[in-house]
Amino acid sequence: QSALTQPPSVSGSPGQSVTISCTGTSSDVGSYNRVSWYQQPPGTAPKLMIYEVSNRPSGVPERFSGSKSDNTASLTISGLQAEDEADYYCSSYTTSSTWVFGGGTKLTVL
Amino acid sequence: EVQLLNSGGGLVQPGGSLRLSCAASGFTFSSYAMIWVRQAPGKGLEWVSGVSGSGDSAYYADSVKDRFTISRDNSKNTLYLQLNSLRAEDTAVYYCAKNSGSHHKYYFDYWGQGTPVTVSS
């Protein structure tokens, strides 16, 4: 199972919006709405930010939103804040009954 | 409050074995599937294995199949990962995580703090 494809890095200034893409195949992202996004600041465990494509867990700011089109999912962070600087990973359930993660995207807040 | 406490990591020689544990609290352990995810130094996350809430069904990544075994003891609220025939490329921080449902097809809503495994002679 190949990793989902994410851009290695994105950046934005405070207050701006950034979008991180996550491209898979018809065997994972394209088959299910079981795409989730995780935030991982350096040296810490991942934290769930978005589940089932576009749902936010309690406590996650509304600035974080998710979407999906065909084999590509996206995470958008609007009104960037310094505290958003972290690595972000997408993940998807697959038709092989396994999970696959993206390679990760480092978000830099300028 | 959901808590997942990882333990059992350490330094092991190639070909050796190790058993990782994940002690859970704050939820009805047997009602939720659990998974293991690892992260090699400086690398991304890799799903390793998952087990259903009852323990009847287990799933593995191809990279660890036939070498790693996931299990759980619902009477002790503890998840395990037995690592055998370890290789240098298994060096990583291993995280346990809780699925949001009884089947491992559900997303992961809580994570442990991770335990490091180093495979080296």
Side-chain angles (χ1 to χ4, degrees), chain A residues 39 47-51 55-64 83-84, chain B residues 110:
Chain A
Q39 177 193 65
K47 173 188 173 184
L48 177 67
M49 304 302 285
I50 295 287
Y51 66 94
N55 296 287
R56 273 188 319 276
S58 173
V60 172
E62 292 183 7
R63 305 183 290 103
F64 289 83
E83 66 201 48
D84 299 333
Chain B
Y110 292 93

Side-chain angles (χ1 to χ4, degrees), chain B residues 79-97:
Chain B
L79 174 73
Y80 303 101
L81 187 68
Q82 178 69 39
L83 289 64
N84 296 333
S85 303
L86 282 162
R87 308 165 179 167
E89 54 264 36
D90 296 319
T91 294
V93 174
Y94 285 73
Y95 297 97
C96 67

Side-chain angles (χ1 to χ4, degrees), chain A residues 1 34 36 38 40 43-48 51-52 57 87 89 91 93 96-104, chain B residues 35 37 39 43-47 59-62 95 99-100 103-114:
Chain A
Q1 182 70 52
R34 300 195 183 280
S36 40
Y38 301 88
Q40 187 181 36
T44 69
K47 173 188 173 184
L48 177 67
Y51 66 94
E52 293 172 356
D87 293 330
Y89 294 90
S91 69
Y93 191 62
S96 300
S97 299
T98 61
W99 283 87
V100 61
F101 282 94
Chain B
I35 66 162
V37 171
Q39 186 169 33
K43 302 297 184 181
L45 302 173
E46 179 188 12
W47 177 84
Y59 306 84
Y60 299 93
D62 287 344
Y95 297 97
N99 285 90
S100 57
H103 189 282
H104 89 299
K105 66 183 177 182
Y106 297 102
Y107 58 93
F108 331 130
D109 52 4
Y110 292 93
W111 295 64
Q113 86 283 9

Side-chain angles (χ1 to χ4, degrees), chain B residues 14-107:
Chain B
S17 298
L18 212 55
R19 189 176 82 157
L20 307 183
S21 298
C22 172
S25 61
F27 63 101
T28 305
F29 184 66
S30 60
S31 295
Y32 296 92
M34 299 289 293
I35 66 162
W36 287 97
V37 171
R38 68 184 179 182
Q39 186 169 33
K43 302 297 184 181
L45 302 173
E46 179 188 12
W47 177 84
V48 172
S49 182
V51 64
S52 61
S54 65
D56 290 346
S57 300
Y59 306 84
Y60 299 93
D62 287 344
S63 58
V64 307
K65 199 172 295 183
D66 300 325
R67 298 189 301 122
F68 292 6
T69 302
I70 192 171
S71 62
R72 61 191 298 160
D73 186 336
N74 286 345
S75 69
K76 296 182 178 179
N77 290 348
T78 302
L79 174 73
Y80 303 101
L81 187 68
Q82 178 69 39
L83 289 64
N84 296 333
S85 303
L86 282 162
R87 308 165 179 167
E89 54 264 36
D90 296 319
T91 294
V93 174
Y94 285 73
Y95 297 97
C96 67
K98 169 186 168 291
N99 285 90
S100 57
S102 61
H103 189 282
H104 89 299
K105 66 183 177 182
Y106 297 102
Y107 58 93

Side-chain angles (χ1 to χ4, degrees), chain B residues 11-17 85-87 118-121:
Chain B
L11 174 64
V12 61
Q13 292 187 340
S17 298
S85 303
L86 282 162
R87 308 165 179 167
T118 302
V119 184
S120 175
S121 54

